[in-house]
Amino acid sequence: AEVIAHQPTEVQDYLLATAILDRFCAPLCESLCFDQDEPSSCPVSGRQFIDKLVTENMFLISLDDNHKWYRYHHLFKQLLQREMRRSFPQEKIKALKNRAGQWFAKNHLLDEAFRYLLAADNIPAVRHMVVTNRYVLTRQEKWHQLNRWIKAIPQDYLINDPELLIITAWIQENQERYQDLQDTIKQIDCLLDKRPAGEMPAKSLLGELDALNDDLAVLLDAE
């Protein structure tokens, strides 16, 4: 606490903002602390901030040989998080988590992006991540990761989104959960039937639904 109190204001701001992070690098620090609408809002760069922590031996642990990624000592991080919660309103903390998620997504660190966007309650961004990356994950046979993402999405949001349910259905087929697959297909059909007149679902969605129905018929016959 004394170490934090004796730091300049701009360094304290960095410390509290980065308390949400499990690991960080200079560009990520800047993305949290630099307001593009106010160029003077961050007089210290991310690199200068990290160099200061290293020079002063301030509870920092290097995570790689290139000294790019760092984390705080877990006790120091706990202290920072307590101070952050006292100093920042909940909405600012969510905004910081959202910024972190956007940075990780931009830098193709998808698992971390998903985690921070979800923690920020940015469900539309979480949905976009799942939908845009699901083909890559399935081609790479990363079904476990895709399933983990789907299970993390709030249920009341998931059950009302046909595109997320289609992804759920493919996961169920992959896991040979055929009864669950039948139920999910029925749920998708029900949602599509409730669409306003003239609002047509995407052809790709209908094509996937047909493919799942065909696969399910073959699988059930085989049993």
Side-chain angles (χ1 to χ4, degrees):
E2 291 177 3
V3 168
I4 297 171
H6 284 87
Q7 295 303 316
T9 301
E10 59 270 20
V11 174
Q12 290 186 29
D13 289 343
Y14 260 111
L15 287 168
L16 297 187
T18 55
I20 65 166
L21 301 171
D22 293 327
R23 65 172 183 150
F24 53 86
C25 60
L28 175 54
C29 291
E30 287 187 12
S31 76
L32 297 190
C33 299
F34 180 73
D35 189 340
Q36 292 183 342
D37 296 327
E38 297 182 37
S40 62
S41 64
C42 188
V44 175
S45 71
R47 188 69 255 172
Q48 288 171 326
F49 166 67
I50 290 177
D51 287 345
K52 179 178 177 61
L53 299 189
V54 171
T55 300
E56 298 187 12
N57 195 25
M58 201 184 300
F59 313 109
L60 201 63
I61 298 171
S62 178
L63 298 178
D64 56 53
D65 293 336
N66 297 322
H67 302 292
K68 176 181 179 181
W69 288 98
Y70 294 85
R71 69 170 177 87
Y72 294 121
H73 185 282
H74 68 280
L75 294 178
F76 187 57
K77 180 181 175 182
Q78 290 174 10
L79 175 65
L80 289 176
Q81 289 181 332
R82 286 198 297 271
E83 187 61 34
M84 175 190 67
R85 288 190 289 268
R86 283 196 291 263
S87 303
F88 294 166
Q90 188 62 31
E91 286 307 307
K92 180 169 182 178
I93 295 174
K94 281 189 177 183
L96 288 169
K97 291 176 180 177
N98 188 61
R99 281 194 184 191
Q102 299 290 353
W103 187 91
F104 279 114
K106 184 178 178 181
N107 287 274
H108 311 292
L109 298 166
L110 301 184
D111 251 353
E112 287 165 295
F114 182 91
R115 180 155 47 86
Y116 285 103
L117 291 172
L118 189 65
D121 290 332
N122 190 346
I123 303 302
V126 167
R127 178 194 185 279
H128 179 74
M129 266 201 64
V130 175
V131 170
T132 56
N133 290 287
R134 60 136 167 166
Y135 294 114
V136 173
L137 294 179
T138 54
R139 282 198 299 269
Q140 295 175 348
E141 295 293 328
K142 293 183 178 180
W143 291 97
H144 177 74
Q145 181 178 351
L146 188 59
N147 184 45
R148 181 159 36 82
W149 286 4
I150 284 290
K151 289 173 69 175
I153 296 173
Q155 188 69 11
D156 58 346
Y157 191 97
L158 177 67
I159 62 175
N160 290 296
D161 190 311
E163 196 155 6
L164 291 178
L165 286 174
I166 278 285
I167 299 171
T168 302
W170 285 116
I171 293 169
Q172 290 165 343
E173 184 192 51
N174 178 262
Q175 296 176 341
E176 300 182 1
R177 293 161 48 201
Y178 302 136
Q179 183 57 58
D180 290 338
L181 175 56
Q182 279 184 299
D183 295 340
T184 300
I185 289 174
K186 289 177 183 176
Q187 176 67 14
I188 296 169
D189 286 334
C190 182
L191 290 175
L192 295 182
D193 289 341
K194 291 179 180 178
R195 290 203 172 199
E199 185 179 321
M200 295 296 295
K203 289 183 178 179
S204 59
L205 180 68
L206 294 177
E208 288 189 75
L209 193 56
D210 287 342
L212 282 165
N213 273 308
D214 290 344
D215 289 352
L216 183 60
V218 172
L219 292 167
L220 292 178
D221 284 344
E223 289 187 343

